[in-house]
Structures are given as structure tokens and as C-alpha cells.
Amino acid sequence: MTGRMLVGLLLGSVLGAGLPVVTLAASAPAGFAENAIGTLVVVRIDGVQERLQGVGQIPLFEGDVLRTDAGSQAVVKFKEGVKVALNEETSFKVLSRWVKDQPLTRILRMSRGEVWVTTYGEEPVRFEVETPVATAAIEGTEFDLKVQEDGQSVLTVVSGIVKFGTAFGTCPIKPGTISYGVRGKKCTKPAPTDVMKALEWTKAVK
């Protein structure tokens, strides 16, 4: 009996029993890696690795882990209309959250490093960056988020409002200010800062 015949018999049995048939289709990309200085490593959920060096296009999917090592930076774009730059020694996982009757929320679960995030589309987006101690939720904004070795998260907002939350509450962080997310505490009160200094690292890669 051939594989095709076996599949046909199994399908017939399912239909005959009145059970639903689920069609498995390839997932659409969540976005694309577009540029790298040095090397961007993309680790798929099955452990397969792809690398981008220079200008190119690597599709990104749910569950992928992106990583830059020392001396490497990269830029990726997500279909929700969000552009993300990775500084050196940065790593995050691409995830999402879906609530019934609401648009999907794209999530970057960041374990280390530094990212610059900006929106470029006209439609409102649901996009969050999680760190070990805090979450930054964006709505048409631009910001820099850095995770230090102890997990402390440093948020610098360039434009728009970023909702910066820990387990102890959420703070709206305004443009031109900096806030710290510390384990076991609410984020610090936003303080004025030089945002251009925080973004100096992005000049070569954006």
C-alpha cells in the first residue's frame, strides 16, 4: 500500500466518523532580517541556524531566536510595521499573543543586549519587548531598550509614549526621558536624558 493510499484511507475514516480535519499550512513570516554588520544568527525552533552578513533577506518566524555576537549589529522589520535594530551581543526570541476578537500582539522576549525600536506603518500596532524584569509596550513610538547583566532594563524614549511595566506596575514614559526597570520594584520615575547619545550605536546600522 502506498503512502498516498494510506493517507486517503485515514482521511476517509476521519470524515466518516464526523471528525474535523485540520489542514497544516506553512506559517507566514513574521518579518525579515534585512541587514547585518558582522553576522546575525537566526536559530529556528528545530535548531537549524541561518546567518545574514551584509544586505540580504532572511524570513523570521514565530519561535525564532535572533542573536548578534561581539562586533555585530543588525536590522530586522516585522510585518506589523515595526523596525528593530540589534546592537552587539543581543538576543531575543520572536513570539506573539492572541486574544479573541483582538489583533495579534507581536512580542520580542529579550534576554540580553540592546535594541532600538521604531514604528513606520500608518496603522496602530501591538508590539511589546519583554526583558527579564520589565515589558515595554509601544504605540507609534521610537525607543532604545538595554538589558544589563543583572537583568536591569534601561528604557530611553525618543518619541511617543512607551508603557513600561514590571510586576509592580506600569509607567507611561514620555519622549526625552529615561527610566529603569529593576527586579522587585516599579519602574523609576522618568528623568530627562540625552536621547541622541543613547542612539549613537545605531548610526552605522539603521
Side-chain angles (χ1 to χ4, degrees), residues 153-199:
S153 304
V154 185
L155 173 69
T156 302
V157 179
V158 181
S159 64
I161 302 293
V162 177
K163 297 177 181 178
F164 195 38
T166 70
F168 292 83
T170 299
C171 312
I173 310 301
K174 298 179 179 180
T177 64
I178 188 171
S179 177
Y180 297 84
V182 182
R183 196 181 305 277
K185 298 180 181 180
K186 191 176 181 180
C187 63
T188 64
K189 182 179 180 180
T193 189
D194 183 355
V195 297
M196 292 299 102
K197 185 176 181 179
L199 298 182

Side-chain angles (χ1 to χ4, degrees), residues 25-43:
S27 299
F32 293 88
E34 297 189 339
N35 185 27
I37 296 174
T39 303
L40 172 68
V41 180
V42 180
V43 184

Side-chain angles (χ1 to χ4, degrees), residues 75-144:
V75 171
V76 301
K77 286 185 178 180
F78 291 91
K79 66 179 184 180
E80 289 79 14
V82 179
K83 183 178 180 180
V84 179
L86 295 77
N87 202 355
E88 63 177 348
E89 298 184 316
T90 295
S91 179
F92 62 70
K93 188 173 187 178
V94 180
L95 298 169
S96 64
R97 181 176 63 250
W98 180 79
V99 179
K100 186 177 180 180
D101 298 328
Q102 294 186 16
L104 177 143
T105 299
R106 182 69 56 197
I107 300 170
L108 303 186
R109 183 165 294 166
M110 186 176 169
S111 58
R112 64 186 178 100
E114 184 174 16
V115 295
W116 166 80
V117 180
T118 188
T119 57
Y120 60 87
E122 297 181 357
E123 297 296 324
V125 300
R126 292 175 177 264
F127 199 92
E128 298 177 1
V129 182
E130 295 181 355
T131 77
V133 300
T135 298
I138 72 173
E139 293 180 0
T141 186
E142 179 183 357
F143 67 88
D144 182 270

Side-chain angles (χ1 to χ4, degrees), residues 6-89:
L6 181 58
V7 170
L9 288 174
L10 290 173
L11 180 60
S13 298
V14 171
L15 293 174
L19 299 175
V21 178
V22 178
T23 302
L24 298 178
S27 299
F32 293 88
E34 297 189 339
N35 185 27
I37 296 174
T39 303
L40 172 68
V41 180
V42 180
V43 184
R44 308 298 187 186
I45 57 175
D46 58 3
V48 173
Q49 297 187 8
E50 293 191 46
R51 287 173 167 77
L52 177 64
Q53 296 176 322
V55 178
Q57 193 172 74
I58 295 180
L60 305 175
F61 298 92
E62 178 95 5
D64 285 351
V65 174
L66 280 65
R67 184 182 75 232
T68 55
D69 296 323
S72 295
Q73 297 178 330
V75 171
V76 301
K77 286 185 178 180
F78 291 91
K79 66 179 184 180
E80 289 79 14
V82 179
K83 183 178 180 180
V84 179
L86 295 77
N87 202 355
E88 63 177 348
E89 298 184 316

